Amino acid sequence: MKNIKVGIIGGAGYTAGELIRLLINHPNAELDFVYSTSNAGNKISNIHQDLMGDLDMKFTDTVNANVDVLFLCLGHGNSVKFLSANTFSATTKIIDLGNDFRLEKDKVFTSIGLAQAKTFVYGLPELQRNAIKKANYIANPGCFATAIQLALLPLAEKDLLHNDVHINAVTGATGAGTSLSETSHFPWRDNNFSYYKPFTHQHLGEINQSVKQLQNGFTSEILFMPNRGNFSRGIFATVYTNFEGTLEEAKALFEVFYKDAKFTFVSDEVLHLKQVVNTNKCLIHLHKHNNKLLVTSIIDNLLKGASGQAIQNMNLMFGLEETTGLQLKATYF
């Protein structure tokens, strides 16, 4: 097939940087433009310095309305504003890495001058692969949401979530984006640990939505404690709830659920983050204690939690092998 012409909106952040890195090494993609009003005219490799020698392209403040696929790497709430102000070809597919279209109530986008409403499909391949293949518009899942859903969906599919679900998850500093803040400042973050948004994190909406998609009668609470870790990237999530079966039964249902998954794997060994950093993988480990099942789920927040999953969705939308351009080795040592 001909190369997929790609445009990126909001090109200066961490997720855009990882997206560019993946795309310039993707055998079926051609990077057409990277839009950033604050950096227009500057070399992309001056901002994303890991791309020095790999990419001789500048940021632009204009767009090509006829690209094959558009990635939106904008702050939450800004994708709607951008699409309201800019028109693209009816054949341009859109993958939004923000949270504007993830919830069922927000998935339809309409604006003045838009001939037809855009309906966004929630882009978690392990849950929605067939729908993604047919979609023109994708809402890429959140990073915490990806790790936590992949820990819960095999249980939801078998109608096994009948008690509260308790979650502790730690994310690296890149999860906060490139904007400076007290909690991303090195002297604060180094040798430190803290929680934020206890029980109210914005990803809870999409987590509950997907669980109820598989287990419509789910009425228990998902109690989520997000934490800031003193490392750069990765998410380490521990999820536990009541489970009356054996550990072997739990492993069997997870392995069946993920038997066709290209990037999600169940491990018999206890996990650590270096196994997934710089990859598009999610690794899962199960542990049983009395009547509690503990599920550990680990991902790279910038790849499987953002840009890698966006490329995975692009591959599905354009009929490519799902793993194309995503055969990445973990930075294990």
Side-chain angles (χ1 to χ4, degrees):
M1 64 174 294
K2 69 179 181 66
N3 278 352
I4 301 163
K5 279 195 171 183
V6 180
I8 296 175
I9 307 298
Y14 291 130
T15 55
E18 287 297 86
L19 197 55
I20 295 166
R21 176 172 73 94
L22 294 171
L23 287 165
I24 63 175
N25 290 290
H26 193 290
N28 300 104
E30 177 186 340
L31 190 57
D32 188 83
F33 71 86
V34 181
Y35 177 95
S36 172
T37 53
S38 60
N39 288 286
N42 294 333
K43 288 187 71 173
I44 292 171
S45 59
N46 287 348
I47 300 298
H48 301 296
Q49 295 183 4
D50 57 318
L51 299 177
M52 192 171 296
D54 296 325
L55 182 67
D56 187 22
M57 182 183 284
K58 293 180 179 180
F59 291 105
T60 181
D61 57 3
T62 61
V63 302
N64 174 5
N66 296 305
V67 288
D68 297 312
V69 61
L70 187 73
F71 291 92
L72 303 177
C73 300
L74 299 168
H76 301 319
N78 290 327
S79 295
V80 166
K81 294 176 185 175
F82 181 84
L83 292 177
S84 296
N86 294 273
T87 303
F88 288 85
S89 163
T91 61
T92 297
K93 299 179 189 294
I94 297 172
I95 300 174
D96 180 30
L97 281 80
N99 71 352
D100 291 22
F101 305 109
R102 290 173 185 162
L103 299 184
E104 188 70 19
K105 67 180 181 64
D106 301 322
K107 72 176 186 179
V108 179
F109 170 73
T110 57
S111 69
I112 296 172
L114 189 65
Q116 188 173 0
K118 292 175 166 61
T119 300
F120 282 75
V121 169
Y122 188 67
L124 187 68
E126 291 82 357
L127 177 66
Q128 302 262 90
R129 181 172 284 101
N130 291 334
I132 292 165
K133 288 179 178 180
K134 302 171 188 174
N136 289 319
Y137 312 110
I138 293 291
N140 214 57
C143 52
F144 271 133
T146 296
I148 292 166
Q149 287 174 92
L150 294 176
L152 290 176
L153 295 182
L155 299 170
E157 185 193 43
K158 297 299 182 184
D159 194 28
L160 293 172
L161 295 174
H162 297 289
N163 300 93
D164 289 349
V165 177
H166 298 264
I167 302 163
N168 255 284
V170 189
T171 188
T174 52
T178 55
S179 299
L180 295 177
S181 67
E182 178 186 354
T183 57
S184 62
H185 192 46
F186 179 80
W188 191 95
R189 196 92 178 203
D190 186 43
N191 292 317
N192 206 357
F193 192 92
S194 65
Y195 72 73
Y196 67 108
K197 298 181 182 176
F199 312 116
T200 62
H201 195 277
Q202 64 271 16
H203 290 180
L204 276 167
E206 57 191 287
I207 295 167
N208 273 288
Q209 178 174 274
S210 294
V211 167
K212 289 176 182 176
Q213 181 177 330
L214 294 184
Q215 184 177 330
N216 188 50
F218 178 75
T219 57
S220 300
E221 278 197 273
I222 296 178
L223 302 164
F224 175 29
M225 185 65 68
N227 300 286
R228 304 179 183 96
N230 64 344
F231 49 89
S232 292
R233 58 197 289 171
I235 287 176
F236 192 101
T238 51
V239 179
Y240 64 92
T241 190
N242 285 9
F243 182 77
E244 298 305 324
T246 66
L247 179 59
E248 289 68 29
E249 289 169 336
K251 284 182 181 178
L253 69 91
F254 271 74
E255 286 169 354
V256 168
F257 190 91
Y258 292 121
K259 64 181 172 60
D260 296 323
K262 301 297 185 180
F263 292 105
T264 300
F265 306 97
V266 182
S267 171
D268 288 332
E269 304 299 324
V270 175
L271 303 174
H272 57 88
L273 269 181
K274 281 192 172 183
Q275 292 172 270
V276 295
V277 170
N278 197 49
T279 80
N280 197 53
K281 292 178 183 175
C282 174
L283 297 186
I284 290 172
H285 175 70
L286 305 175
H287 176 81
K288 186 83 191 295
H289 178 74
N290 296 329
N291 69 333
K292 294 289 190 289
L293 180 68
L294 171 66
V295 185
T296 304
S297 174
I298 60 172
I299 65 170
D300 184 316
N301 59 295
L302 295 178
L303 289 173
K304 184 58 174 166
S307 304
Q309 187 153 242
I311 296 291
Q312 188 179 354
N313 280 318
M314 181 190 79
N315 289 340
L316 289 168
M317 295 167 83
F318 285 90
L320 299 175
E321 166 56 42
E322 198 170 335
T323 60
T324 305
L326 293 171
Q327 294 94 342
L328 307 168
K329 183 191 179 298
T331 48
Y332 192 77
F333 46 81

